[in-house]
Amino acid sequence: MPTPPASSEYFSPIQLGVGIPGGCEAAVHATRRYIEAMPDGYVVAKIDFSNAFNSLRRDLMLRCVADKVPEIYRFCHLSYNQPSVLKFENRIILSQEGPHQGDPLGPLLFCLPIHPDLVQLKSELVAGYMDDLTLGRPTDVVAEDIDHITAREMQTGLHINAAKCEIISHSPAPRASQFSTP
């Protein structure tokens, strides 16, 4: 019987936030080891997305569920094909993007759509834990990967929050234009 794509085998070793016990710790330890052995000219970039779970496009999310985990598609479609009504005091807000906060399927629903983009990155260190992403390789390769992520913003709904990103390097790291705020 084939392995279901929602399993840890589908996401591992890149996305450690779904089905991987101790995934966060694994990402931290892998990054620490990478930094300790990193030669000059290499960088590690810690990427932060602005309001990631509430920004992910639901249409993309539902297409990925239909493609990769069709057995739960009908349930997810019922839950996410229309805006969710959120009430705060006397106000009503229509939530139209991303999985619901507290949804037990939320990590899977978030990680499915971004995983194909993570697989395409050229960095030798690609460690994702939900909406936290760490990349490592020579500066130009990491910059190219960040450009790829930025180019996909319209398709995914995810936008890099440059103010919360960080570059780690043994030598003085150049200020990455990918992280400059407009």
Side-chain angles (χ1 to χ4, degrees), residues 89-113:
E89 295 177 352
N90 62 347
R91 290 181 237 146
I92 293 178
I93 302 168
L94 294 178
S95 172
Q96 300 178 19
E97 303 296 343
H100 300 156
Q101 183 176 358
D103 183 345
L105 290 175
L108 173 66
L109 297 176
F110 182 83
C111 292
L112 273 175

Side-chain angles (χ1 to χ4, degrees), residues 35-108:
I35 291 170
E36 289 171 356
M38 185 170 65
D40 286 341
Y42 277 53
V43 297
V44 165
K46 293 169 35 181
I47 310 295
D48 181 77
F49 295 99
S50 298
N51 199 17
F53 270 72
N54 293 322
S55 300
L56 182 69
R57 291 186 46 180
R58 283 190 181 171
D59 59 333
L60 173 64
M61 185 177 80
L62 289 172
R63 279 195 311 273
C64 289
V65 169
D67 182 46
K68 299 294 181 190
V69 199
E71 57 269 25
I72 66 168
Y73 174 74
R74 293 177 80 179
F75 174 76
C76 291
H77 184 266
L78 180 64
S79 299
Y80 291 106
N81 74 327
Q82 296 292 319
S84 306
V85 177
L86 306 176
K87 295 181 180 181
F88 177 71
E89 295 177 352
N90 62 347
R91 290 181 237 146
I92 293 178
I93 302 168
L94 294 178
S95 172
Q96 300 178 19
E97 303 296 343
H100 300 156
Q101 183 176 358
D103 183 345
L105 290 175
L108 173 66

Side-chain angles (χ1 to χ4, degrees), residues 154-174:
M154 293 299 290
Q155 289 82 16
T156 64
L158 300 176
H159 301 280
I160 292 177
N161 181 356
K164 290 189 176 180
C165 292
E166 182 179 357
I167 296 177
I168 301 167
S169 174
H170 291 306
S171 55

Side-chain angles (χ1 to χ4, degrees), residues 117-175:
D117 284 322
L118 299 183
V119 170
Q120 292 181 17
L121 300 178
K122 294 178 174 55
S123 291
E124 56 194 13
L125 172 66
V126 179
Y129 187 83
M130 310 291 185
D131 60 334
D132 294 317
L133 179 59
T134 304
L135 305 174
R137 199 153 184 191
T139 305
D140 59 331
V141 176
V142 171
E144 184 180 322
D145 284 346
I146 294 169
D147 288 341
H148 173 79
I149 294 166
T150 302
R152 296 276 302 144
E153 286 181 347
M154 293 299 290
Q155 289 82 16
T156 64
L158 300 176
H159 301 280
I160 292 177
N161 181 356
K164 290 189 176 180
C165 292
E166 182 179 357
I167 296 177
I168 301 167
S169 174
H170 291 306
S171 55
R175 176 72 181 140

